[in-house]
Amino acid sequence: VNALQNEYVTKFAKTLDGKMPGFLGLFEDKRFAKQFIDEIYGKDSGSQLAKDAVKAFADVSESLRVRFNSAGGNLGKIENYFPQTHDPVRMAHAAEVLQGQGRVRQTVNVAKNWVTGNRNMMEEQKSAWVDYIAPKLDRSKYLDLNGDLMSDADFTAMLGRVYETIITSGEVDFDTSTVAGNSVRGQASRANRGDNHRTLHFQNADTFFEYQQMFGRDSVIETVIGSLRRTAKDVALLEMYGPNPNNMVAGLKRVGEADIVQGKLQMGVWKNPISIHMVNASWNVLNGDAGRIAPGRELFSDFMQGMRNIEVFSKLQSTFITSFTDFPSYFVSAGIHHIPVLTALKNFSTSLGKNNKELMIRSGVIAQTLSSSLVRWGDAHIGKGWTSAVADATMKVTLLDAWTN
């Protein structure tokens, strides 16, 4: 999984390496983000960097789509495709978000409604979201069973169901597979997946960008990288476990459980402590179910992730200094392998050059560093967003990334 993710993310990220605009590499450049979306929808942005980035994204996405279908998937090609994200927390407070109220005010409203007994505000929030997004969609894309354009009533009802699906499914990030785990429960095979997040067809780049700024979850480039990583994970799972990874893993677990039972009968429970629970836990981590956020717990999850980020950047500040011990360790290792000191020094100096960096990029060795360097903090990111940005900034400011790679 990691190998495929690094391979395809690197193909895209190397196009923007060292060229991304944005203050100190922390904040998303809205102008570039808009130019990127303009190019996606075929509108001339006037930016060569945006053109190159969109071409790289289109090429890598198409390559992944073809490989995905070859592995047993069923992912169609769509014009002006760009992965959509939805923030369920903001959608759950759509009326307040559209009024310009912030997260603190939304939390106060929740407490107030709870005290007053007015606890079910879903219909009001759903109506606000539907009224906001309906004029931005291309009605010609929505047909009924007879092939005619949907009526206003059917169109509104369809959007209401989309809203309910997003809200009730919980927050699903790009680490969650769409071919395995709870994402495909009840589906006959993985081949049925593919187009669920493509239900909303926007009129043009402006309407799509406006929606993403209001109810989207990630920055533009972060969305691109996340989408590539998820599709690469799906491809890896399909190639390893076939068109229905859930059934394959379930079958393997049944065989394993039978072996465990047989072992306990022969050796006794205490002498054979092997359990299937670790297999289940590992599978949930791999397919992303372990990181799935249950509906209604998004704020708590954001808070705990923020606390984790704070702990990370508070401890990273001295890591660059302690990493200097890598230098003498390198020469000790060279000596053990009978490499002359001058040769070791020459190899070390060469590794700092541009040619070596390009080799590492092509090999996918520093894919994580490339992708993290492109991620920007958008204005809508609060809570865990700013703490994550500080953690990433600590890696850059302390030169830990550059030194390690």
Side-chain angles (χ1 to χ4, degrees):
V1 171
N2 288 335
L4 275 185
Q5 288 179 329
N6 290 343
E7 175 186 349
Y8 285 100
V9 168
T10 300
K11 288 180 179 179
F12 168 76
K14 67 181 182 181
T15 304
L16 296 175
D17 183 32
K19 304 174 185 177
M20 273 287 291
F23 180 69
L24 295 180
L26 297 179
F27 295 90
E28 180 182 36
D29 187 297
K30 282 191 174 182
R31 181 182 179 185
F32 177 76
K34 182 60 169 61
Q35 290 171 339
F36 189 96
I37 299 300
D38 285 342
E39 292 293 340
I40 287 287
Y41 279 80
K43 181 180 178 181
D44 186 8
S45 66
S47 170
Q48 187 59 45
L49 179 60
K51 296 179 188 295
D52 294 341
V54 168
K55 184 178 184 305
F57 171 61
D59 292 343
V60 176
S61 294
E62 179 62 13
S63 176
L64 274 172
R65 189 189 69 84
V66 172
R67 186 167 179 176
F68 177 87
N69 290 342
S70 298
N74 182 24
L75 191 59
K77 187 173 183 178
I78 191 171
E79 185 180 3
N80 303 329
Y81 171 68
F82 185 83
Q84 299 174 7
T85 63
H86 310 275
D87 189 333
V89 175
R90 294 178 67 83
M91 290 180 61
H93 297 273
E96 298 150 317
V97 169
L98 293 172
Q99 292 172 8
Q101 297 182 12
R103 184 70 63 86
V104 175
R105 180 60 181 174
Q106 296 168 20
T107 305
V108 172
N109 291 341
V110 170
K112 181 180 177 181
N113 292 332
W114 183 268
V115 172
T116 59
N118 187 21
R119 301 174 184 176
N120 188 7
M121 302 293 293
M122 183 172 179
E123 288 301 321
E124 177 185 343
Q125 308 296 345
K126 179 170 67 174
S127 296
W129 183 82
V130 170
D131 292 342
Y132 172 79
I133 195 174
K136 301 181 182 298
L137 300 179
D138 184 358
R139 290 290 298 270
S140 65
K141 302 288 186 180
Y142 299 92
L143 308 177
D144 60 20
L145 295 178
N146 297 322
D148 300 324
L149 290 177
M150 275 188 176
S151 65
D152 291 343
D154 290 342
F155 182 67
T156 301
M158 181 274 297
L159 290 179
R161 291 191 295 272
V162 171
Y163 177 89
E164 292 171 0
T165 299
I166 295 173
I167 292 296
T168 57
S169 65
E171 184 172 354
V172 180
D173 58 23
F174 286 116
D175 290 328
T176 305
S177 171
T178 60
V179 302
N182 290 328
S183 296
V184 289
R185 298 295 183 200
Q187 295 187 12
S189 73
R190 150 62 247 188
N192 292 329
R193 168 287 194 194
D195 295 333
N196 292 337
H197 70 296
R198 302 175 170 199
T199 304
L200 303 176
H201 303 279
F202 290 85
Q203 294 177 2
N204 49 48
D206 294 335
T207 55
F208 175 76
F209 189 73
E210 289 173 8
Y211 176 83
Q212 286 297 304
Q213 292 295 303
M214 184 64 68
F215 290 107
R217 190 178 66 242
D218 301 319
S219 67
V220 169
I221 300 301
E222 190 174 3
T223 298
V224 169
I225 293 175
S227 175
L228 295 177
R229 290 180 61 84
R230 180 170 61 185
T231 306
K233 172 186 280 191
D234 290 345
V235 169
L237 292 176
L238 290 178
E239 291 180 344
M240 288 188 294
Y241 298 109
N244 199 324
N246 281 347
N247 283 354
M248 175 61 75
V249 172
L252 294 174
K253 286 195 294 185
R254 284 194 296 270
V255 174
E257 287 172 342
D259 290 342
I260 290 174
V261 171
Q262 185 65 27
K264 288 182 177 180
L265 290 176
Q266 295 178 356
M267 302 175 59
V269 176
W270 301 110
K271 292 185 179 181
N272 186 29
I274 300 175
S275 172
I276 202 68
H277 296 302
M278 287 301 297
V279 176
N280 291 332
S282 299
W283 175 239
N284 288 338
V285 171
L286 179 60
N287 64 43
D289 283 348
R292 184 187 293 269
I293 301 172
R297 297 185 179 181
E298 294 88 357
L299 288 176
F300 179 74
S301 173
D302 285 358
F303 174 77
M304 296 306 296
Q305 180 64 54
M307 295 301 296
R308 179 178 181 272
N309 291 336
I310 291 175
E311 183 176 6
V312 168
F313 71 68
S314 64
K315 293 180 177 180
L316 278 177
Q317 300 174 32
S318 60
T319 306
F320 177 61
I321 298 177
T322 59
S323 66
F324 278 116
T325 56
D326 294 345
F327 191 70
S329 298
Y330 165 76
F331 284 99
V332 171
S333 178
I336 293 175
H337 292 85
H338 306 290
I339 299 176
V341 175
L342 293 179
T343 301
L345 184 61
K346 177 184 177 181
N347 293 340
F348 182 83
S349 301
T350 304
S351 69
L352 302 177
K354 180 179 179 181
N355 292 337
N356 186 67
K357 180 181 178 181
E358 292 177 351
L359 175 62
M360 293 173 68
I361 290 175
R362 290 196 301 270
S363 303
V365 176
I366 57 174
Q368 291 286 349
T369 300
L370 277 178
S371 60
S372 64
S373 68
L374 300 182
V375 172
R376 296 295 186 265
W377 177 27
D379 292 343
H381 286 59
I382 57 177
K384 67 175 181 180
W386 72 265
T387 57
S388 176
V390 173
D392 288 340
T394 302
M395 293 283 287
K396 297 173 184 177
V397 172
T398 60
L399 303 179
L400 186 59
D401 268 347
W403 171 257
T404 303
N405 287 311

